[in-house]
Amino acid sequence: MSEVSTILVVDDDQSIVELLRDFLEYENFHVVTACDTVQAWALFEHSSVHCIVLDIMMPGQNGFELCRRIRAVSNVPILFLSARSDDVDKIRGLTLGGDDYIVKTASPGEIIARVKAVLRRSTSQQQMDERILDFGRLKLNLSTREVMVEGKNVVLTPREYELFRLFAEHPRHVFSYEQILAKFWDGVGDKHTIRVHLGRLREKIESDPNRPQFLVNVWGVGYRFEGG
């Protein structure tokens, strides 16, 4: 990694904090630590954190509550660290948005390997989401979810955006009515449902919605995106 990643370790057990700090720093990570969620949130707000190793059971607010708060504003990788190995805590942690769940009996080497793994996945996803799809007068920025038509930002509803992204990422691919219904409406609906939504999308991205240049019909089958 060209940039040194900062790891936030949150645990009220100082011996665990010091052990993880030693191993992480040996692997050339920058480490910041907190003994409770209040201190952790303050560090998170004022530091550039690339990954969080988060204990669950701590005095006051627990790790689950901090995870929920962080997930409201950030997708930073979170690895839960717990003395408990039961599935209930693991399922809850992953459901709340945790990227991994590690039992404290794991070796420091295994924990470091897990940290590196989630950082690789996070970096890969970030690189993917930073792509800008450029179709001349029409552009889609995947990192900011912005759609630009002739340099002007076009406001799309969440459903319109996801529909447009599907087509823009697969130019010239024909999507059938059935495929679109299955992906966005769980198979419930009909051709009229799709036509209404794509009609609204065309009004926002096409110069002439009645003679579309980008989102075109494939009669009797579905639609495709002419990306050029």
Side-chain angles (χ1 to χ4, degrees):
M1 299 175 189
S2 57
E3 179 185 1
V4 176
S5 296
T6 297
I7 313 299
L8 171 59
V9 178
V10 187
D11 199 310
D12 61 326
D13 188 330
Q14 191 61 31
S15 64
I16 291 178
V17 169
E18 291 175 359
L19 181 65
L20 289 178
R21 183 206 293 273
D22 289 344
F23 275 83
L24 287 164
E25 288 181 344
Y26 181 80
E27 295 290 335
N28 296 317
F29 291 109
H30 176 240
V31 181
V32 292
T33 66
C35 62
D36 58 38
T37 59
V38 174
Q39 187 180 8
W41 179 255
L43 286 168
F44 173 75
E45 280 194 305
H46 298 98
S47 305
S48 179
V49 175
H50 300 92
C51 179
I52 301 173
V53 179
L54 177 60
D55 186 24
I56 293 177
M57 300 307 297
M58 289 178 288
Q61 188 182 58
N62 63 38
F64 290 141
E65 292 165 336
L66 178 61
C67 176
R68 184 182 290 109
R69 188 177 183 185
I70 290 172
R71 277 292 171 264
V73 297
S74 173
N75 288 321
V76 62
I78 297 175
L79 288 83
F80 281 112
L81 192 61
S82 175
R84 301 171 58 179
S85 60
D86 59 79
D87 288 341
V88 174
D89 275 359
K90 182 176 182 179
I91 293 170
R92 184 181 180 191
L94 297 178
T95 300
L96 287 172
D99 296 271
D100 206 343
Y101 184 97
I102 308 170
V103 179
K104 288 186 177 181
T105 53
S107 68
E110 180 182 348
I111 296 174
I112 302 305
R114 299 278 194 95
V115 168
K116 290 181 177 180
V118 297
L119 284 172
R120 282 195 299 269
R121 292 198 297 269
S122 175
T123 301
S124 176
Q125 183 62 45
Q126 184 179 27
Q127 290 171 344
M128 182 183 298
D129 286 347
E130 284 176 350
R131 289 180 300 155
I132 295 179
L133 305 183
D134 190 341
F135 304 104
R137 61 178 290 273
L138 179 61
K139 294 179 175 65
L140 170 60
N141 187 322
L142 295 175
S143 65
T144 62
R145 295 175 65 92
E146 288 181 308
V147 176
M148 308 291 290
V149 177
E150 295 181 346
K152 297 181 179 179
N153 187 47
V154 175
V155 179
L156 302 183
T157 67
R159 178 59 54 82
E160 289 169 350
Y161 173 83
E162 294 302 334
L163 277 166
F164 177 56
R165 176 171 179 167
L166 173 69
F167 283 102
E169 288 188 311
H170 302 87
R172 299 289 299 166
H173 181 87
V174 178
F175 288 96
S176 69
Y177 292 103
E178 291 76 16
Q179 288 174 318
I180 299 170
L181 280 174
K183 184 171 182 63
F184 296 104
W185 285 277
D186 295 323
V188 179
D190 54 24
K191 293 181 181 180
H192 179 70
T193 300
I194 298 172
R195 287 170 181 153
V196 169
H197 280 82
L198 293 184
R200 291 171 182 165
L201 181 57
R202 278 174 170 167
E203 290 176 357
K204 296 181 179 181
I205 67 172
E206 300 282 1
S207 297
D208 183 356
N210 295 317
R211 301 178 65 185
Q213 296 178 327
F214 292 107
L215 203 55
V216 301
N217 287 75
V218 179
W219 296 109
V221 181
Y223 296 84
R224 72 168 178 259
F225 182 77
E226 298 289 353

